[in-house]
Every structure is written in C-alpha cells, then in structure tokens.
Amino acid sequence: KLLSMLASCKKHSDKPILTTYPADYEPPGRIPTSAKPSILCAKNFDAAGRFRIAARSLQRQPKEPLPSFFWAAGFAFSCAEVIREVPYDAGLVDVFFGEEASMAVRLWTSGWDFFCPSSPAIFHLWSRAHRPTFRELKQNPCVEQAAYARVDFVLGRRKAPPKGMTESVGLGTVRTLAAFQEHTGINFSKRTIATAARR
C-alpha cells in the first residue's frame, strides 16, 4: 500500500517522502475503522520560539497522496537513499520540538518533497500515560542548549554553525532556506506563519 502511494508521487517529484502524524489507536490494538488521512500544517511558534506543526484530518479521501509542506518524525516513508543523502543529526540530543522543522528544511533543500498519504497506513499510541517521556527524565541543560543551537543554525536563526557541527547535517544544495520559507510561508527568524501554511 505504501509502496503504491510512494510510486504515485513520482509523477510530481523524483524524491518523494510520505509523511504525516499517524491516527491514534487504543491498546491493545483497537484501530479505528473511521480514521481519515491527515495532512501536516503549521500550528504556531511556542513560548520558546520553536516552530510547531499539527495534523489536520482530510474530509475526503484523495485519490492519491497530496503535496505537503512539512515532515513528521513519527511517520516518514521513502526509499533508503533519503537516509544516506540526509542523515539524521545525532547531535540533536534532548530536542523534541525543533527536530521536525530542522529535518524538513534539510530534506527539502536537498531536493526531497513531502506528501501526505491518501489513506491511513499506520497508527500511533498518542497517550503517554503508560510510560515516562524523556522530558520527565533528568536532562543536562548544556547538552540541550548545544543541540538547539544546531537547529537554530539550520533554520537561519544563527549565523555560525555550532562547534562540532559538520556540513553533512546542514542544509542541502538543491534549494535554499529562503526558497523553503517562501514555499511554506514560514519565517523562522521573524516567527511568522502565512495563512496558507495553516491550511
């Protein structure tokens, strides 16, 4: 199913990624039969200035995946080349909000395009009541600060790369950060969101 959806995206992009926030389910495995596909949209900039996204359910099931502006960490399906070309930044220790914006920019500037699946393909247990999250565990503020400096550099909110950051986890060379911001309507430095990005 996912391979078929990914193949249909090839009509629009040579480097497609299927990505969205999956629908919820209830343990031990009660999957909703009425789940609808969802598309990622801009939510806000939080109090710390971190860009946040959300998923909006589609009222009608599209015939094929729809172009999307953003990337979700919880569900991103593509060919293996994406991992080789845009490796995950292992320096993002203790980063939660910021990771998805950083990866979206890095992937898009490397020529990858995002699409929401045309039907629900996977499900996720969104409740965190059954386990502690890393936010509830002791963290080193210096490590977190250094990690967010890497995010800020990728998003153009910092001029110089932080110590130890290499080009392999920076921006791509196919498209620019400015082009991404124009494409999505997001300005990371000014913390503004165009209406189209909220869809």
Side-chain angles (χ1 to χ4, degrees):
K1 185 176 180 180
L2 285 171
L3 287 171
S4 176
M5 283 192 267
L6 191 66
S8 71
C9 297
K10 288 281 191 176
K11 293 182 288 186
H12 310 287
S13 171
D14 291 332
K15 299 162 77 173
I17 300 173
L18 291 170
T19 184
T20 194
Y21 286 154
D24 196 13
Y25 79 91
E26 294 181 25
R30 287 177 287 184
I31 295 173
T33 56
S34 60
K36 296 178 179 179
S38 64
I39 191 167
L40 298 172
C41 55
K43 182 179 180 182
N44 62 13
F45 284 90
D46 64 20
R50 303 296 167 203
F51 177 65
R52 306 276 294 273
I53 59 175
R56 180 178 61 79
S57 293
L58 299 173
Q59 295 308 306
R60 297 177 184 174
Q61 184 169 326
K63 294 181 180 178
E64 60 181 29
L66 299 177
S68 181
F69 287 143
F70 308 112
W71 178 89
F75 171 35
F77 183 81
S78 190
C79 63
E81 187 59 32
V82 69
I83 301 169
R84 290 188 284 267
E85 192 173 310
V86 189
Y88 188 80
D89 185 355
L92 300 187
V93 180
D94 288 345
V95 167
F96 192 69
F97 299 118
E99 165 206 17
E100 292 175 325
S102 175
M103 282 298 293
V105 169
R106 292 180 56 221
L107 287 161
W108 196 85
T109 59
S110 298
W112 295 86
D113 295 299
F114 312 123
F115 296 84
C116 76
S118 52
S119 63
I122 65 170
F123 296 84
H124 175 71
L125 179 59
W126 286 100
S127 170
R128 297 172 183 163
H130 65 290
R131 57 171 170 77
T133 67
F134 83 98
R135 284 281 180 216
E136 297 168 302
L137 305 174
K138 188 175 181 180
Q139 298 173 46
N140 182 333
C142 294
V143 171
E144 184 179 16
Q145 185 178 15
Y148 273 116
R150 298 166 81 96
V151 171
D152 286 341
F153 175 69
V154 168
L155 301 184
R157 293 166 30 152
R158 176 190 172 109
K159 291 185 178 180
K163 185 178 180 182
M165 186 175 183
T166 64
E167 287 185 9
S168 66
V169 291
L171 295 174
T173 58
V174 177
R175 297 182 283 212
T176 65
L177 172 61
F180 178 86
Q181 293 187 125
E182 184 177 348
H183 170 67
T184 60
I186 307 299
N187 188 301
F188 295 109
S189 296
K190 295 180 179 178
R191 301 181 187 181
T192 57
I193 300 172
T195 302
R198 299 181 189 273
R199 301 204 214 216

